[in-house]
């Protein structure tokens, strides 16, 4: 069984036995510690094995696999999660702007407010990324329906006499 499958199975079992909040409390602390480390060394190549990182942060390889799963979307070259083993050496080539954006998207305030970001992006740059994120989630309806237009439901009536009431 792949480590990735072990990770997903462990999450299900953990939530069943200890509850979802307990899972997130433990996972967030591990994730925060790893990101502090990565962001403080953002100019260096961050290389590790899942076992070594698990030992360093006093956790299980499954939790580290969860971290790798989470950061995978922010890497310049995706990792094949199914093929990873606990002893494979992983070199993270992180797109920091994409990582910050993805943290905003995940609503992970505990991560995008880490003080290590101050040494990476200026406040202006962080605000620019936040603005870009907010603009990406705004839904704009370009096709406005006028009161006297035919109703979109196909009834043949004017919008104001049908669905626009």
């Amino acid at each position: 069984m792949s480590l990735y499958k072990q990770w997903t199975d462990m999450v299900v079992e953990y939530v069943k036995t200890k509850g979802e909040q307990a899972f997130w409390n433990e996972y967030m602390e591990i994730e925060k510690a790893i990101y502090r480390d990565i962001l403080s060394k953002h100019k260096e190549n961050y290389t590790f094995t899942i076992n070594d990182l698990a030992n360093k942060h006093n956790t299980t390889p499954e939790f580290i696999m969860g971290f790798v799963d989470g950061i995978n979307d922010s890497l310049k070259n995706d990792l094949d999660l199914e093929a990873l083993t606990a002893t494979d050496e992983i070199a993270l080539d992180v797109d920091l702007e994409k990582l910050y954006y993805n943290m905003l998207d995940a609503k992970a305030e505990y991560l995008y407010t880490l003080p290590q970001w101050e040494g990476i992006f200026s406040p202006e740059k962080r605000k620019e990324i936040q603005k870009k994120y907010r603009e990406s989630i705004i839904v704009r309806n370009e096709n406005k329906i006028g009161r006297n237009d035919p109703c979109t439901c196909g009834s043949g009536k004017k919008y104001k006499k049908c669905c626009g009431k």
Side-chain angles (χ1 to χ4, degrees):
M1 179 186 318
S2 74
L3 186 57
Y4 182 73
K5 177 80 170 113
Q6 289 174 335
W7 152 246
T8 56
D9 290 349
M10 185 273 298
V11 172
V12 170
E13 192 57 37
Y14 195 110
V15 170
K16 278 183 191 174
T17 57
K18 297 181 182 176
E20 189 173 347
Q21 192 57 50
F23 166 78
W24 283 112
N25 290 342
E26 185 171 347
Y27 180 75
M28 287 188 313
E29 288 306 311
I30 295 165
E31 190 178 35
K32 198 182 325 181
I34 296 170
Y35 274 118
R36 273 192 213 112
D37 197 26
I38 289 173
L39 295 174
S40 65
K41 300 172 184 168
H42 71 277
K43 292 183 180 176
E44 303 170 23
N45 287 334
Y46 196 83
T47 306
F48 62 94
T49 67
I50 289 177
N51 280 340
D52 291 343
L53 201 57
N55 290 336
K56 181 179 180 179
H57 291 282
N58 225 10
T59 190
T60 65
E62 288 84 6
F63 271 109
I64 301 303
M65 186 67 213
F67 162 77
V68 173
D69 182 19
I71 199 170
N72 200 31
D73 289 339
S74 302
L75 300 178
K76 293 176 184 170
N77 300 309
D78 287 354
L79 300 170
D80 181 2
L81 299 177
E82 288 288 342
L84 282 179
T85 67
T87 57
D88 289 342
E89 189 160 296
I90 301 169
L92 296 181
D93 190 8
V94 181
D95 180 338
L96 293 169
E97 197 168 318
K98 191 173 182 183
L99 176 63
Y100 191 81
Y101 183 94
N102 288 341
M103 287 176 175
L104 291 168
D105 192 35
K107 295 170 184 47
E109 186 175 349
Y110 66 100
L111 295 176
Y112 66 77
T113 57
L114 286 171
Q116 287 77 8
W117 282 112
E118 293 168 16
I120 299 171
F121 295 132
S122 66
E124 295 79 23
K125 180 66 174 174
R126 289 189 305 247
K127 283 181 184 174
E128 177 188 318
I129 298 169
Q130 289 169 356
K131 183 180 178 186
K132 190 166 85 174
Y133 167 70
R134 280 192 305 273
E135 287 174 359
S136 75
I137 61 171
I138 295 173
V139 178
R140 290 188 172 88
N141 185 358
E142 300 295 329
N143 301 328
K144 297 262 184 192
I145 302 169
R147 292 175 30 87
N148 292 314
D149 290 342
C151 190
T152 55
C153 73
S155 67
K157 297 179 182 178
K158 288 185 178 182
Y159 180 73
K160 67 182 178 187
K161 297 278 186 180
C162 190
C163 295
K165 271 188 174 179

